[in-house]
Amino acid sequence: MQILSWLIPISLGLGGLGLLAFVWTLKTRQYDDPEGDARRILNPDWDDRPKP
Amino acid sequence: MALSLDAAATPAASACPACVAAPAAEAMARAARAGEGARILLSVPQAHCGACISTLEQGLEALPGVRSARLNLTLKRIAVDADPGLTAADLIPEVRRLGYAAHELDAGMLAGTDTDPTGRDLLMRLAVAGFAMMNVMLLSVAVWSGAEAATRDLFHWISGAIALPTVVFAGQPFFRSAWGVLRQGRANMDVPISIALILASGVSLYETIHSGRHAYFDATVMLAFFLLVGRYLDHRTRAAARSAAQELAALEVPRALKLEGGTEQLVPVAALVPGDRVRVLPGARVPADGIVAEGTSEIDRALLTGESLPAFAGPGTALAAGEVNLTGALVMTVTAAGRDTALSRIAELVAVAEAGRGRFRSISDRAVRFYTPFVHATAFLTFLGWFWSTSDLRLSLNIAAAVLIITCPCALGLAVPAVMTSASGRLFRRGLLIKDGTALERLAEVDAVVFDKTGTLTLGRPEAANLGAHPAGAVALAAGLARGSGHPLARALIEAAEAAGIVPAAVADLHEVPGYGVEGRAPDGRRVRFGRAAWAGAADEGAAGGLTAAWLGVEGEAARAFTFTDRLRPGAEELVATLRARGLRLALVSGDAEAPVRGLADRLGIDDWQAGALPADKVARVAALKAQGRRVLMVGDGLNDTAALAAAHVSISPASALDAARTAADVVLTGTSLAPVAEALATARRAVGLMRGNIVISNLYNLVAVPVAILGFATPLAAAIAMSTSSITVTLNALRLGR
């Protein structure tokens, strides 16, 4: 049962990490254009170097 | 959030480091930000693919003065950051060259729709509830599988530590709405939800403190999660419709050319006051009510009265806001502006009509009306029953809480929004915008359709009708003259002549006489005129048979009438045929003259038609059908249809309609074709069927679960299973509607 004192915080921490990641995507407006972003990833324009 | 948006939207205006030091730099930057060219929004309805993104963005960024361009494929909008001074008019030709149609959007009008703070707020609460639900469920599984004593208490405590803050945060939309209606002495769906959330949390906390066996933390957060999903879907549907409706409104950037002390100034229409002198250019919409002071022209009144024949306008003619100036530039004196214009005359009619419509009770309204008292009564009676038989307050409260949680309208909260989302998404992809939440349900009941003619069944664009009746030489001459004018009839004639392979004659001395027509000299030297009957020398106007006509007058010859009919809107014939085949009652009511209305009614096969109808006649027509117990769908686009649109059971207007008509309509057609209307009626019927089915499903679950809960056999596990399966079932059922 000692293992619980490790596992519970770990599972909560991982879940919290997921939540934080979601909050970050929300705050950085990554849901404004889901359709466009889905296509943009296939666009080869800036594959070699980042867009200035 | 708003701050970061502003920062992202306006690029750093000071490019050189030295500018930063200059005292005027900030003022300059502000001016650049406020300037015309700072941020331009274009609507590009045809953008649909990944290649469109790079074509449009790179094409626009290659233009001088454009700093960056970004296409939002979801909204089909390009946001362009450009140097001040650049306007949409500079960009639209480039977009057109790239192969896409583009319209300028009024950025100010769209300010709120980009961000959608309510949606993001709901999404945040949804995410927190989802996180809490997963973690609490993880712990609950251990309890369900038999964790005992200290372990169970520990798990309950951890669950509580996660669930209670979550309920406080994620439940706020429900608490707020419930509190709002309770203060007014009414009840809505959020009241039982809030009570269930609070009671379940309280009882669970109490049980945990006294190391009880059952805690409902998992059910509580799950309830909050599923209900938030429903709430978010509901919001998304409405926000999408609202933002698209706003985009339609933003398409008309309302400005007027005001004359002041000999100079022309471009001012917002809202800034006009009676007494102002305004120049109305050919092709422009009259910005306010007024009287022509100088100039002659022809005026297209179709949107206001439904007349397809342009009317003559000279000094002294009264103009109404919304009319379109066709040929010559006019100067008018404003007599009424803004809210006092022609709109207000109709507004009264609309208000009366809307009052007559009565409030429509949606399916979910009716379900809640039945549901709320039922849930509360059941839970309360359960509590009383158990307390009376056992005198155990803790046990009775526990069981009452279980009843509340199980009966809580979890699936009900999802049942209607899920169907609404999938139905309006499906219709949106077919070019229909559902503006009102209950419009789908009302569409499903329609059994009679009243159409307007000009601009609705027809495009309001003329088409040459009798080219074959004239010798090729006359047509060539008329086409040659027509080249001197931008009048819609002239355009239509040139198009028809081109299609017939007739080369326009070379006419010398070509000049337009605004309000009358075009004059010139034929190759043989004779004076020729193309335009109004009397001016072109026609002795008998009746020869055109009451149809719209332009006359060709050649010196020394009898004038010839070129007649025009209004071009049929694509899909109109199929729509009328489909609706008739489905057994709907059809009627055509138009403000236009008898001949064109009869012609169209015959062509489409509508027996029931009425010409020369005033706005009040249209309302009366709709009311008469209503009095026969019919549910009327009104399809119209003009100001003269507005009252009838509001009076009808449900209404549709095309995107080309006047703002007032679009506002009054429940559904807006975003494309040109009328064909989606039939699709909308069919989809609405299926959607309402699915909504009813969903409510039956969620009640079926209750039918099984409630007796179990009342008898005290409900465990947190049973509550969790009932809640999640019913929610998932109704969502899957809603998806059956298909894309």
Side-chain angles (χ1 to χ4, degrees):
Chain A
M1 278 301 158
Q2 287 303 311
I3 194 73
L4 281 183
S5 57
W6 284 100
L7 287 181
I8 291 174
I10 289 175
S11 82
L12 287 182
L14 287 175
L17 223 57
L19 181 65
L20 283 183
F22 178 77
V23 170
W24 171 72
T25 59
L26 199 63
K27 293 252 184 211
T28 48
R29 317 176 55 83
Q30 299 188 25
Y31 299 97
D32 282 5
D33 182 16
E35 206 162 313
D37 291 338
R39 317 253 185 184
R40 260 173 223 278
I41 197 168
L42 300 174
N43 182 345
D45 285 351
W46 298 101
D47 279 359
D48 305 331
R49 60 200 160 86
K51 190 173 181 178
Chain B
M1 202 66 57
L3 262 176
S4 68
L5 169 69
D6 279 349
T10 50
S14 47
C16 58
C19 299
V20 181
E26 185 148 346
M28 271 169 58
R30 214 175 299 130
R33 229 173 288 151
E36 282 289 292
R39 181 173 158 84
I40 302 165
L41 271 183
L42 297 177
S43 158
V44 193
Q46 290 158 349
H48 64 280
C49 58
C52 307
I53 296 179
S54 26
T55 315
L56 282 166
E57 288 183 356
Q58 285 169 12
L60 282 174
E61 278 170 5
L63 286 183
V66 174
R67 295 189 193 124
S68 77
R70 189 164 176 98
L71 174 68
N72 184 326
L73 202 58
T74 315
L75 296 170
K76 302 198 187 308
R77 248 181 232 172
I78 307 182
V80 180
D81 279 322
D83 290 333
L86 212 68
T87 62
D90 304 322
L91 303 177
I92 288 174
E94 175 64 14
V95 178
R96 196 159 295 152
R97 199 186 58 78
L98 294 169
Y100 302 90
H103 315 281
E104 184 185 1
L105 292 172
D106 187 344
M109 199 172 272
L110 290 170
T113 61
D114 268 351
T115 47
D116 185 20
T118 327
R120 293 153 69 86
D121 181 67
L122 276 174
L123 209 53
M124 186 74 86
R125 293 180 202 278
L126 183 63
V128 170
F131 159 80
M133 181 181 78
M134 285 188 279
N135 283 289
V136 172
M137 202 56 77
L138 211 64
L139 298 164
S140 298
V141 169
V143 176
W144 296 335
S145 29
E148 283 296 328
T151 320
R152 185 184 60 206
D153 284 350
L154 173 69
F155 282 11
H156 277 169
W157 274 115
I158 301 176
S159 302
I162 301 170
L164 292 177
T166 305
V167 169
V168 170
F169 176 69
Q172 269 174 29
F174 308 109
F175 299 149
R176 232 178 278 139
S177 148
W179 179 239
V181 293
L182 277 181
R183 266 196 313 196
Q184 293 166 20
R186 291 184 294 117
N188 63 2
M189 181 111 78
D190 292 329
V191 176
I193 292 172
S194 303
I195 292 180
L197 286 177
I198 294 170
L199 195 66
S201 310
V203 165
S204 305
L205 186 63
Y206 181 86
E207 287 294 308
T208 307
I209 294 172
H210 293 88
S211 45
R213 284 191 55 211
H214 294 326
Y216 288 96
F217 289 124
D218 55 336
T220 317
V221 280
M222 201 202 286
L223 188 64
F225 176 75
F226 279 125
L227 288 169
L228 279 169
V229 171
R231 198 54 57 97
Y232 180 67
L233 287 181
D234 197 38
H235 171 82
R236 264 274 302 272
T237 319
R238 253 182 263 172
R242 196 173 44 233
S243 108
Q246 257 169 330
E247 183 164 313
L248 284 176
L251 276 176
E252 297 161 22
V253 183
R255 301 217 178 92
L257 269 179
K258 187 172 151 188
L259 297 178
E260 213 169 48
T263 58
E264 283 182 11
Q265 258 184 313
L266 203 58
V267 298
V269 166
L272 291 178
V273 290
D276 281 350
R277 285 161 60 83
V278 174
R279 188 187 295 283
V280 187
L281 296 174
R285 199 163 268 183
V286 176
D289 287 2
I291 292 170
V292 176
E294 293 166 28
T296 51
S297 178
E298 277 186 304
I299 293 291
D300 180 358
R301 300 209 146 119
L303 278 175
L304 274 81
T305 61
E307 291 168 62
S308 55
L309 195 66
F312 174 78
T317 309
L319 299 177
E323 296 174 344
V324 178
N325 183 12
L326 291 177
T327 45
L330 294 173
V331 174
M332 65 180 260
T333 311
V334 175
T335 53
R339 292 274 162 225
D340 305 328
T341 53
L343 269 175
S344 69
R345 295 199 291 277
I346 304 277
E348 206 170 314
L349 221 49
V350 172
V352 173
E354 262 173 355
R357 180 191 257 178
R359 219 181 85 70
F360 179 81
R361 283 255 222 85
S362 69
I363 289 180
S364 57
D365 277 358
R366 275 175 286 170
V368 168
R369 196 163 289 263
F370 157 79
Y371 210 82
T372 315
F374 171 77
V375 169
H376 287 160
T378 315
F380 190 61
L381 287 177
T382 310
F383 171 74
L384 282 187
W386 277 90
F387 191 63
W388 178 72
S389 59
T390 64
S391 311
D392 185 343
L393 185 68
R394 181 173 159 194
L395 178 69
S396 318
L397 256 182
N398 238 319
I399 291 176
V403 170
L404 254 187
I405 291 174
I406 285 196
T407 52
C408 205
C410 193
L412 210 57
L414 266 175
V416 175
V419 178
M420 277 288 296
T421 309
S422 91
S424 45
R426 181 185 158 95
L427 290 177
F428 185 72
R429 277 186 287 276
R430 283 160 180 70
L432 283 152
L433 195 62
I434 312 287
K435 278 176 52 200
D436 188 282
T438 61
L440 268 181
E441 292 172 42
R442 284 182 278 137
L443 265 178
E445 298 173 349
V446 164
D447 59 0
V449 186
V450 176
F451 289 104
D452 168 49
K453 183 183 84 75
T454 321
T456 306
L457 283 175
T458 66
L459 282 171
R461 280 208 293 271
E463 185 176 39
N466 68 341
L467 228 51
H470 302 289
V475 177
L477 202 55
L481 279 166
R483 284 203 293 190
S485 168
H487 194 286
L489 294 186
R491 283 286 145 90
L493 187 80
I494 295 172
E495 234 173 77
E498 260 172 25
I502 297 169
V503 182
V507 180
D509 294 343
L510 198 61
H511 64 275
E512 184 166 20
V513 186
Y516 294 95
V518 200
E519 198 180 41
R521 215 156 273 287
D524 58 8
R526 285 189 293 178
R527 193 204 58 179
V528 283
R529 280 177 168 178
F530 183 62
R532 298 199 151 259
W535 181 72
D540 176 23
E541 245 184 274
L547 292 170
T548 308
W551 298 72
L552 174 70
V554 183
E555 223 175 356
E557 273 180 37
R560 295 175 174 281
F562 285 84
T563 56
F564 296 85
T565 52
D566 209 346
R567 191 167 301 177
L568 215 55
R569 194 176 268 273
E573 259 165 319
E574 296 91 311
L575 173 68
V576 170
T578 316
L579 294 183
R580 209 176 29 222
R582 284 193 202 152
L584 272 75
R585 172 149 186 196
L586 303 178
L588 173 65
V589 183
S590 172
D592 204 357
E594 191 182 325
V597 179
R598 187 183 335 114
L600 184 80
D602 288 348
R603 188 164 160 191
L604 291 175
I606 301 176
D607 312 323
D608 184 4
W609 56 269
Q610 182 183 351
L614 297 173
D617 296 338
K618 296 197 176 198
V619 178
R621 194 57 206 265
V622 169
L625 280 169
K626 248 182 171 171
Q628 296 170 18
R630 292 188 176 270
R631 310 278 191 177
V632 185
L633 162 66
M634 172 81 200
V635 190
D637 76 318
L639 206 51
N640 58 336
D641 302 315
T642 312
L645 287 171
H649 191 54
V650 58
S651 48
I652 299 183
S653 80
S656 58
L658 268 192
D659 201 21
R662 282 200 312 257
T663 311
D666 301 302
V667 180
V668 175
L669 274 168
T670 54
T672 328
S673 171
L674 269 182
V677 173
E679 167 94 25
L681 292 176
T683 306
R685 287 219 172 117
R686 282 193 55 207
V688 169
L690 285 174
M691 285 180 198
R692 293 227 169 87
N694 268 350
I695 287 179
V696 169
I697 291 175
S698 51
N699 281 333
L700 273 183
Y701 274 101
N702 281 338
L703 218 59
V704 177
V706 170
V708 176
I710 292 177
L711 293 176
F713 294 123
T715 56
L717 176 62
I721 291 176
M723 205 181 289
S724 44
T725 41
S726 66
S727 298
I728 291 168
T729 323
V730 295
T731 312
L732 289 179
N733 193 36
L735 289 178
R736 286 201 303 142
L737 200 58
R739 282 170 75 85

